[in-house]
């Protein structure tokens, strides 16, 4: 069993409801073991778009990183995700950030996420729920990496505690019809 750490983001439609539904959808991979607070963040790259809501979730899974990525794509498509241009506004964005301490560089799959260490909108929520989690390429904790970014209070603003996800993590076990094979 591995822990897959997933970054969640949305800036179109009912952002919070979409993210809440996406967290429930992650149960297809296994039990959701952690959900961060919800943060509002400025867009990165293409700036002429609404602000994002971001969070991070941890899922205990037997699925391979490639299988996790496939499920994330299915959840995004179910929520109307369209890839029009890089950094475009989106109904839902799910990124595989880490899969335990695995390091992979394959076509269409890089773990850990290649920009994880640069992005406050991912590091702040990840450091909230797993501060001692190590970055397998850099060899430093996510809390240290978040600290390296300096004061991000103007760019990453906490808007709700972990209860936003609307789930009791003790009851997040997948049903028999939701568990995926590797």
């Amino acid at each position: 069993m591995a822990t897959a750490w997933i970054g969640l983001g949305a800036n179109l439609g009912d952002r919070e409801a979409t993210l809440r539904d996406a967290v429930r959808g992650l149960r297809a991979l296994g039990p959701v073991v952690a959900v961060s607070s919800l943060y509002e963040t400025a867009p990165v790259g293409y700036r002429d778009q609404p602000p994002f809501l971001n969070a991070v979730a941890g899922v205990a899974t037997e699925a391979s990183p490639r299988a996790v990525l496939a499920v994330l794509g299915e959840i995004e498509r179910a929520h109307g995700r369209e890839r029009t241009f890089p950094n475009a506004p989106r109904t839902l964005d799910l990124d595989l950030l880490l899969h335990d301490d695995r390091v992979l560089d394959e076509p269409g799959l890089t773990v850990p996420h290649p920009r994880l260490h640069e992005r406050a909108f991912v590091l702040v929520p990840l450091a909230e729920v797993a501060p001692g989690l190590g970055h397998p390429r850099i060899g430093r904790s996510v809390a240290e990496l978040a600290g390296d970014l300096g004061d991000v209070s103007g760019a990453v603003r906490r808007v709700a505690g972990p209860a936003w996800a609307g789930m009791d993590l003790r009851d997040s076990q997948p049903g028999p019809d939701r568990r995926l094979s590797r």
Side-chain angles (χ1 to χ4, degrees):
M1 192 73 80
T3 302
W5 292 97
I6 313 299
L8 301 98
N11 75 335
L12 296 176
D14 187 341
R15 302 171 303 166
E16 185 174 341
T18 298
L19 294 179
R20 187 178 304 112
D21 194 50
V23 170
R24 283 192 298 268
L26 294 176
R27 293 184 293 185
L29 294 164
V32 176
V33 296
V35 178
S36 74
S37 295
L38 196 60
Y39 294 85
E40 188 168 71
T41 64
V44 173
Y46 179 67
R47 297 208 179 265
D48 188 21
Q49 60 181 313
F52 279 82
L53 285 183
N54 292 100
V56 167
V59 180
T61 188
E62 294 180 9
S64 69
R66 180 73 61 190
V68 170
L69 193 63
V71 170
L72 299 183
E74 290 171 14
I75 296 169
E76 286 179 338
R77 285 186 295 281
H79 287 87
R81 170 73 189 266
E82 295 178 10
R83 296 178 185 275
T84 53
F85 59 91
N87 301 313
R90 57 208 85 135
T91 56
L92 181 62
D93 185 27
L94 300 175
D95 290 322
L96 175 57
L97 304 173
L98 294 159
H99 193 280
D100 273 351
D101 60 355
R102 295 183 82 167
V103 174
L104 297 170
D105 284 306
E106 300 174 358
L109 176 63
T110 302
V111 178
H113 189 284
R115 290 172 300 284
L116 166 65
H117 63 286
E118 303 169 346
R119 294 185 163 170
F121 65 85
V122 171
L123 283 173
V124 169
L126 186 55
E128 173 193 326
V129 293
L133 184 64
H135 190 296
R137 286 190 189 269
I138 297 173
R140 299 183 64 215
S141 74
V142 295
E144 291 171 322
L145 294 171
D148 289 349
L149 298 176
D151 181 12
V152 297
S153 60
V156 179
R157 184 175 61 87
R158 185 176 181 264
V159 295
W164 72 268
M167 66 186 319
D168 182 347
L169 297 181
R170 295 170 297 183
D171 297 327
S172 71
Q173 299 292 327
D177 60 325
R178 289 188 242 154
R179 184 166 299 274
L180 299 179
S181 61
R182 284 190 246 179

